[in-house]
Amino acid sequence: MAGYDMTTDSNTQAPATPVGNNDLIYQLDDTPAFAPAIFAALQHVLASFVGIITPTLIVGSALGLGAHVPYLVSMALFVSGLGTFVQAKRIGPIGSGLLCLQGTSFGFLSVVLSAGFIVKGRGASEEEILATLFGICFCAAFVEIAFSQFINKLRKIITPVVTGTIICLMGLSLIKVGMTDLAGGYGAADLGALHHLALGGLVLGTIVLLNRASSQVLRLSAVIIGLTLGFAVAWFTGRVDFANMAEVPLISVPQPFKYGFGFDWIAFVPIAVIFLITPLETAGDLTANSIISRQPVKGPLYMRRIKSGVLADGCNSAVAAMFNSLPMTTFSQNNGVIQLTGVASRHVAFYIAGILVLLGLFPVVGAVLQLMPKPVLGGATLIMFGTVAVAGIKILSEAGLHRRNVLIVAISLGLGLGVAGVPDVLSHMPDVLKNIFGSPITIGAFSAIVLNIFLPDEQQEVEEDDYDPEAHLHTVLQNRQDDDSVDDSSLKTLSRDLTPDARTS
């Protein structure tokens, strides 16, 4: 990413001006012709397609929801299209008005699986599991809706050290899922067989090689190319069976709460916690998007975008649960696509939304993806989950790993990974506490938040007067001018500090 001139006067609301070779062909409110708009839209869809569908595939596989997976994948694509339209169009106070693609969030994967296993352990049917999951997610989405209006005020509680710890725990707790799939999947009689490892290794190796390619197009498409290659090899070696494809219906009709509406307080708490964390990542993604799109990153317009964008995330997650899909968030992948294409026009989002909705209406897409062998999916998700953990580490490093923060991180990670590795440690607790704190995310988040509140931060008090977030952001961008990575997580921890309240508090 090229360096940026951050000398904008916040009173005039003029956007920060990029310097270097990152000039935009189409600005935020420009209306491109059909050909460049559809070309840019297709690149956004390709860059985000795997991220949209993979959480649904993993949940369906782990919870044994095979018959419902094609429909669930269709709904994931359908609601991603709706959410993308709302985020870009800005309906009333809802939506950032930026070219932001909405998709199913990996951040909720571990807690959704945990909730699903709680319900399944009680002998619930597949439909009852889905009814409870979507009912919980619908109610929990209102936590983010409320949080969006106070995102600035809670910065002293949900700080980068808390966010980084929880995101790190998310990734680390999911790595077991990716590795199990790579080895053949849960319940496989030949778990760890060489042919499983070879197929998963092929996908993993392909993604690694393409990520080191000089072409940015190849890097953006690395995951989808790796999955396609793995799927093709599995097909030619007789490991993909299309025999049941004839039974797949032609059209998926979106039905609100198709499986009913259920609720469980014990499963609700961990999911509600994550709804307090993902808005902070969304704020960072919107900040990065604003910079790339030559929009202000301070002042009333910027603050309105952040609040409206996070509000859209919460509303879109509620709509997603209503239409039988997992919670949604603003994707960071499309920031790299904007840089690649030079198209920041939010009108392109309408084409993206249309493509996703159309894909979601045809369940054959989900049915084909369901046939993907577990090692193929595992080879890709192992990298994805590891990347989530690393994103948390990056946030922690930017927060500063001095003595206080190290203590918070060490205790929180120890508790979170400890209960994941030795669940019997809670065996003598009441069932309510056992189910709540049996989630590594919940106990890790609780620990990080409590310690962050009660442990004094002497270093922050010493450095606070000399800290200029605008100058810090400029430094980060300068340091990254030779790094064209799609991941803008280095900006996430700064978005909070560039708001008017943060600069005066």
Side-chain angles (χ1 to χ4, degrees):
M1 181 184 293
Y4 287 81
D5 177 10
M6 302 297 294
T7 58
T8 306
D9 181 354
S10 60
N11 295 322
T12 65
Q13 291 301 306
T17 304
V19 297
N21 58 358
N22 194 34
D23 291 338
L24 296 176
I25 301 171
Y26 292 100
Q27 306 289 334
L28 181 65
D29 292 309
D30 291 345
T31 305
F34 176 78
I38 198 69
F39 177 73
L42 286 170
Q43 290 194 71
H44 282 280
V45 172
L46 286 174
S48 306
F49 184 80
V50 173
I52 293 171
I53 64 170
T54 301
T56 302
L57 292 174
I58 293 172
V59 169
S61 171
L63 298 179
L65 307 174
H68 305 284
V69 169
Y71 180 79
L72 296 178
V73 170
S74 291
M75 291 303 98
L77 293 165
F78 176 77
V79 297
S80 291
L82 294 182
T84 299
F85 177 83
V86 169
Q87 190 69 270
K89 178 67 174 175
R90 185 173 169 83
I91 300 174
I94 304 172
S96 64
L98 296 169
L99 174 51
C100 295
L101 193 146
Q102 296 281 116
T104 312
S105 174
F106 272 91
F108 291 87
L109 191 50
S110 59
V111 289
V112 166
L113 285 174
S114 176
F117 284 124
I118 289 173
V119 179
K120 187 175 183 178
R122 297 171 184 163
S125 66
E126 294 178 11
E127 290 77 10
E128 289 171 335
I129 293 171
L130 290 169
T132 304
L133 286 180
F134 297 138
I136 291 169
C137 290
F138 178 81
C139 294
F142 288 91
V143 173
E144 182 173 13
I145 290 172
F147 183 84
S148 68
Q149 304 308 301
F150 304 98
I151 189 169
N152 246 22
K153 309 300 181 184
L154 296 177
R155 59 184 289 267
K156 290 185 179 292
I157 299 175
I158 311 296
T159 63
V161 70
V162 173
T163 306
T165 301
I166 296 174
I167 292 174
C168 192
L169 270 173
M170 288 178 191
L172 293 175
S173 62
L174 287 170
I175 284 175
K176 181 180 179 181
V177 176
M179 183 59 78
T180 303
D181 278 348
L182 188 145
Y186 289 99
D190 56 349
L191 188 72
L194 289 179
H195 61 275
H196 292 323
L197 300 181
L199 186 57
L202 172 67
V203 176
L204 192 152
T206 301
I207 294 172
V208 170
L209 288 175
L210 291 177
N211 264 283
R212 302 311 303 162
S214 57
S215 168
Q216 194 171 30
V217 174
L218 286 178
R219 290 198 296 276
L220 287 171
S221 308
V223 174
I224 199 166
I225 292 173
L227 288 172
T228 303
L229 177 61
F231 189 89
V233 171
W235 184 11
F236 284 120
T237 55
R239 300 177 62 181
V240 178
D241 183 7
F242 289 96
N244 296 323
M245 289 296 294
E247 301 175 6
V248 178
L250 180 62
I251 298 290
S252 282
V253 179
Q255 301 176 43
F257 295 115
K258 176 181 179 179
Y259 302 102
F261 187 97
F263 189 80
D264 187 300
W265 274 106
I266 294 173
F268 170 82
V269 173
I271 293 177
V273 168
I274 304 305
F275 268 112
L276 290 174
I277 302 304
T278 54
L280 303 177
E281 285 200 88
T282 295
D285 288 327
L286 294 174
T287 300
N289 194 304
S290 295
I291 293 171
I292 295 168
S293 302
R294 292 184 171 183
Q295 297 301 304
V297 287
K298 59 181 179 180
L301 176 59
Y302 167 71
M303 197 61 244
R304 189 190 74 184
R305 280 210 172 104
I306 295 296
K307 288 185 176 180
S308 298
V310 174
L311 176 61
D313 262 20
C315 293
N316 289 335
S317 290
V319 171
M322 185 185 304
F323 283 104
N324 316 292
S325 188
L326 300 176
M328 301 177 68
T329 191
T330 299
F331 274 18
S332 62
Q333 290 96 318
N334 70 313
N335 291 335
V337 179
I338 293 172
Q339 288 180 285
L340 173 67
T341 61
V343 179
S345 169
R346 63 194 182 97
H347 296 280
V348 171
F350 306 150
Y351 292 88
I352 298 171
I355 293 171
L356 291 172
V357 167
L358 284 175
L359 287 172
L361 294 177
F362 297 98
V364 67
V365 175
V368 170
L369 293 170
Q370 186 188 5
L371 298 176
M372 188 179 298
K374 295 296 186 298
V376 175
L377 191 61
T381 55
L382 189 65
I383 297 177
M384 293 180 184
F385 298 152
T387 302
V388 172
V390 171
I393 293 171
K394 289 171 93 173
I395 293 174
L396 290 172
S397 67
E398 289 162 9
L401 288 175
H402 50 79
R403 185 175 59 179
R404 170 188 180 271
N405 286 358
V406 166
L407 189 62
I408 294 173
V409 176
I411 294 174
S412 303
L413 287 181
L415 289 173
L417 297 178
V419 298
V422 189
D424 289 343
V425 72
L426 304 176
S427 59
H428 294 288
M429 278 192 169
D431 287 343
V432 173
L433 294 179
K434 182 166 58 177
N435 287 325
I436 290 176
F437 291 110
S439 164
I441 308 299
T442 306
I443 192 169
F446 179 79
S447 169
I449 291 171
V450 169
L451 290 172
N452 183 64
I453 292 172
F454 289 103
L455 290 181
D457 190 358
E458 297 90 349
Q459 180 161 337
Q460 180 180 342
E461 293 172 2
V462 170
E463 295 177 350
E464 202 168 42
D465 292 338
D466 298 327
Y467 178 64
D468 182 350
E470 187 175 331
H472 187 188
L473 178 59
H474 181 64
T475 301
V476 169
L477 292 168
Q478 289 284 11
N479 291 340
R480 293 179 70 244
Q481 73 179 50
D482 293 326
D483 179 10
D484 54 6
S485 169
V486 176
D487 180 14
D488 289 295
S489 61
S490 57
L491 302 173
K492 296 182 189 298
T493 58
L494 297 172
S495 62
R496 178 195 68 263
D497 301 321
L498 284 165
T499 60
D501 291 344
R503 293 177 63 83
T504 57
S505 62

